């Protein structure tokens, strides 16, 4: 056999190593090494992951909108040194994630949020930059969370389209979704598309760093065939990580394909869409939705997940509470508690401004952000009532200007 040409595929094989026939496997030069077979793609994956360009891009993504905060500013102060140190740790596989900072939020409901150190967030972007395109191609089009070109507003549009086409909806959400995600199942799903042991090592490091973070949030659920040792299984992804958001889509991707392909909930027979752990099934036949409910409960059990017991088919004319709105075929209404929550928060900002604690720009940004979100529903009257009924007193504006002049003189 003639010596292969480095960097070129042999007959019948594409440069990316995908065979178009039963021909031989390509040789590709990786640095000074000539790599044979399908292994080259995995080696290139980890080499690309550790590259300087990927590390710098990951930093830019992780610091977007956060450069004024202390963790990002401290990392940026010695940016090159920090990125080189991360690169060295990844290449030698000595990287160790740090501890999480956890806190609770209470809107829309009580959740435990776990924030990773900033350098770990850079590593999360480093990993997702490389593996996300490989998984993105396999996601169904009606999965809308944490994806480029998707999002809440497009999910609302799709929900309303289905509400106009079908008579009934089955709305489900997974009980304790992030605390319930099983590490063994997660790794098996990820390993199907990632053949590089080095990338899987980094995934194991990030998975292991969240061990026990959500243990108090999880209520043990036993499935058929379980033994007593099942309570020792590792589970839970910290809410707040970029990797957790992305891996949640990977975890439920087989379920999405089950609904689309095996239940055939698509085209004229029905409609399906999912946003993280909230998913909707539409159909004109209520009994068909009951059958689908039974089937999807069985399939979710293979992923060690359960849905809330109250899920049942309802007419779309009752309105579909979804992503902060109530969706009808011909209109959308913002949920009442969403309007009340913002009104209270906005009044608090106004009082803080009048006491001279915050600048007017912060109030303006808050009002514009909420109004921009609320405008995706039929909320003209609501926006006028919430924003038009509050007066802002300029009594402290002179004091703020004096403070500004004093600050300018002291730093001039």
């Amino acid at each position: 056999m003639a010596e292969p040409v480095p960097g070129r595929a042999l007959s019948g094989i594409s440069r990316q190593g995908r065979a178009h026939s039963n021909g031989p496997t390509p040789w590709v030069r990786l640095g000074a090494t000539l790599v044979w077979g399908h292994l080259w793609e995995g080696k290139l994956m980890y080499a690309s992951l550790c590259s300087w360009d990927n590390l710098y891009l990951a930093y830019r993504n992780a610091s977007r909108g956060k450069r004024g905060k202390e963790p990002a500013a401290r990392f940026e102060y010695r940016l090159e040194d920090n990125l080189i140190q991360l690169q060295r740790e990844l290449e030698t596989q000595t990287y160790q994630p740090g501890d999480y900072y956890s806190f609770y939020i209470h809107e829309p409901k009580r959740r435990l949020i776990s924030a990773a150190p900033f350098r770990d967030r850079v590593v999360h972007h480093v990993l997702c930059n490389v593996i996300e395109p490989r998984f993105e191609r396999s996601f169904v089009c009606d999965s809308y969370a944490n994806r480029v070109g998707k999002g809440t507003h497009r999910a609302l549009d799709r929900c309303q389209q289905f509400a106009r086409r079908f008579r009934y909806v089955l709305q489900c959400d997974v009980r304790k979704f992030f605390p319930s995600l099983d590490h063994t199942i997660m790794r098996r799903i990820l390993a199907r598309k990632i053949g590089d042991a080095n990338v899987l090592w980094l995934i194991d490091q990030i998975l292991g760093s969240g061990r026990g973070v959500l243990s108090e949030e999880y209520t043990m659920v036993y499935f058929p065939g379980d033994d007593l040792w099942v309570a020792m299984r590792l589970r839970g992804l910290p809410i707040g990580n970029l990797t957790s958001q992305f891996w949640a889509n990977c975890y439920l991707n087989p379920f999405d394909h089950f609904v689309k392909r095996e239940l055939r909930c698509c085209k004229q027979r029905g409609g399906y869409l999912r946003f993280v752990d909230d998913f909707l099934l539409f159909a004109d036949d209520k009994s068909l939705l009951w059958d689908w409910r039974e089937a999807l409960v069985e399939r979710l059990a293979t992923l060690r997940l359960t849905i809330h017991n109250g899920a049942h088919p309802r007419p779309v004319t009752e309105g579909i509470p979804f992503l902060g709105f109530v969706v009808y075929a011909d209109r959308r209404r913002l949920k009442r508690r969403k309007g009340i929550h913002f009104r209270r928060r906005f009044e608090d900002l106004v009082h803080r401004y009048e006491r001279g604690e915050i600048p007017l720009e912060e109030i303006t940004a808050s009002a514009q952000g909420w109004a921009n979100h609320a405008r995706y529903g039929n909320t003209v009257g609501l926006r006028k009532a919430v924003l038009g009924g509050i007066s802002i007193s300029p009594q402290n504006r002179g004091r703020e200007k004096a403070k500004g002049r004093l600050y300018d003189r002291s730093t001039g």
Side-chain angles (χ1 to χ4, degrees):
M1 176 179 176
E3 182 179 355
V5 178
R8 290 187 59 186
L10 299 182
S11 60
I13 308 294
S14 71
R15 187 176 177 85
Q16 284 72 29
R18 297 183 177 88
H20 300 307
S21 67
N22 294 325
T25 311
W27 292 83
V28 174
R29 180 171 296 280
L30 186 61
T33 305
L34 196 62
V35 183
W36 169 262
H38 64 277
L39 298 178
W40 80 276
E41 190 172 5
K43 291 180 179 294
L44 283 181
M45 178 184 289
Y46 198 70
S48 174
L49 185 148
C50 298
S51 68
W52 176 263
D53 289 343
N54 188 39
L55 283 162
Y56 183 68
L57 176 62
Y59 157 73
R60 292 288 300 271
N61 292 336
S63 63
R64 184 175 296 125
K66 301 179 178 67
R67 294 182 66 189
K69 297 184 178 180
E70 181 182 350
R74 183 176 296 164
F75 189 91
E76 185 178 359
Y77 181 70
R78 300 181 63 88
L79 178 60
E80 292 81 2
D81 293 339
N82 287 325
L83 291 182
I84 289 173
Q85 178 64 25
L86 272 181
Q87 186 179 45
R88 185 181 300 115
E89 292 179 9
L90 291 173
E91 290 175 342
T92 59
Q93 295 190 358
T94 58
Y95 165 74
Q96 292 290 333
D99 296 331
Y100 287 89
Y101 166 69
S102 298
F103 57 94
Y104 284 97
I105 63 171
H106 299 273
E107 176 62 28
K109 60 183 179 181
R110 190 173 186 267
R111 296 180 188 272
L112 177 63
I113 305 299
S114 301
F118 184 79
R119 75 188 301 267
D120 291 342
R121 281 177 263 165
V122 174
V123 175
H124 299 167
H125 281 274
V126 163
L127 177 64
C128 289
N129 287 346
V130 174
I131 69 173
E132 185 173 354
R134 178 167 299 210
F135 286 90
E136 178 67 27
R137 294 191 293 266
S138 67
F139 291 159
V140 300
C141 63
D142 284 317
S143 171
Y144 287 90
N146 309 308
R147 297 178 63 190
V148 176
K150 301 291 185 177
T152 57
H153 299 137
R154 294 200 176 185
L156 288 166
D157 291 340
R158 187 63 163 164
C159 176
Q160 192 163 39
Q161 290 176 10
F162 286 142
R164 292 167 179 167
R165 289 175 53 190
F166 300 102
R167 297 172 56 195
Y168 300 101
V169 59
L170 172 63
Q171 184 170 15
C172 307
D173 67 306
V174 178
R175 180 185 300 164
K176 298 290 183 180
F177 177 59
F178 281 99
S180 301
L181 295 179
D182 188 271
H183 287 197
T184 302
I185 297 175
M186 174 68 74
R187 195 184 189 282
R188 183 170 66 243
I189 291 173
L190 296 176
R192 290 174 185 168
K193 290 186 176 295
I194 301 174
D196 183 15
N198 295 324
V199 178
L200 291 175
W201 166 83
L202 181 57
I203 289 173
D204 289 338
Q205 294 297 108
I206 298 174
L207 270 176
S209 69
R211 183 181 306 167
V213 171
L214 295 177
S215 58
E216 296 181 0
E217 303 294 310
Y218 178 73
T219 302
M220 185 63 204
V221 178
Y222 289 93
F223 295 90
D226 285 350
D227 53 27
L228 294 178
W229 295 103
V230 75
M232 305 300 294
R233 294 176 70 105
L234 299 178
R235 58 179 63 86
L237 292 182
I239 303 175
N241 280 359
L242 172 69
T243 49
S244 299
Q245 300 166 13
F246 171 62
W247 287 344
N249 279 339
C250 298
Y251 198 91
L252 285 180
N253 189 44
F255 174 76
D256 293 338
H257 286 278
F258 165 76
V259 174
K260 289 277 192 176
R261 297 184 180 185
E262 297 187 34
L263 297 186
R264 296 175 59 196
C265 181
C266 57
K267 297 182 179 179
Q268 300 302 319
R269 195 163 185 255
Y272 169 76
L273 69 98
R274 178 176 64 82
F275 193 93
V276 193
D277 62 323
D278 296 327
F279 52 93
L280 309 174
L281 289 83
F282 294 82
D284 287 324
D285 186 354
K286 187 183 290 187
S287 62
L288 180 60
L289 288 175
W290 279 113
D291 294 339
W292 285 349
R293 184 188 187 279
E294 182 178 353
L296 63 86
V297 167
E298 293 179 1
R299 178 52 63 101
L300 285 173
T302 65
L303 298 174
R304 307 193 64 81
L305 299 175
T306 58
I307 63 173
H308 286 94
N309 296 326
H312 63 279
R314 297 184 296 107
V316 297
T317 53
E318 293 181 359
I320 307 167
F322 188 54
L323 302 180
F325 289 82
V326 180
V327 180
Y328 299 87
D330 58 346
R331 65 191 186 281
R332 298 178 200 166
R333 300 296 188 194
L334 192 73
K335 283 186 177 179
R336 182 174 181 272
R337 62 181 177 83
K338 294 287 186 180
I340 294 174
H341 172 74
F342 175 76
R343 176 66 180 248
R344 291 173 178 170
R345 180 172 176 271
F346 190 68
E347 288 177 346
D348 179 65
L349 288 176
V350 171
H351 294 326
R352 291 174 61 191
Y353 166 72
E354 292 176 345
R355 294 194 299 267
E357 297 177 3
I358 61 173
L360 183 62
E361 289 75 12
E362 187 169 339
I363 298 180
T364 303
S366 178
Q368 290 177 341
W370 179 80
N372 186 55
H373 172 68
R375 71 182 177 86
Y376 284 89
N378 302 94
T379 58
V380 174
L382 176 65
R383 282 177 278 162
K384 290 181 179 179
V386 171
L387 299 176
I390 299 178
S391 60
I392 302 177
S393 173
Q395 60 184 6
N396 291 317
R397 188 169 301 173
R399 189 196 312 173
E400 287 185 357
K401 290 182 178 179
K403 287 182 179 179
R405 287 194 298 269
L406 180 62
Y407 176 80
D408 291 339
R409 291 173 184 172
S410 63
T411 58

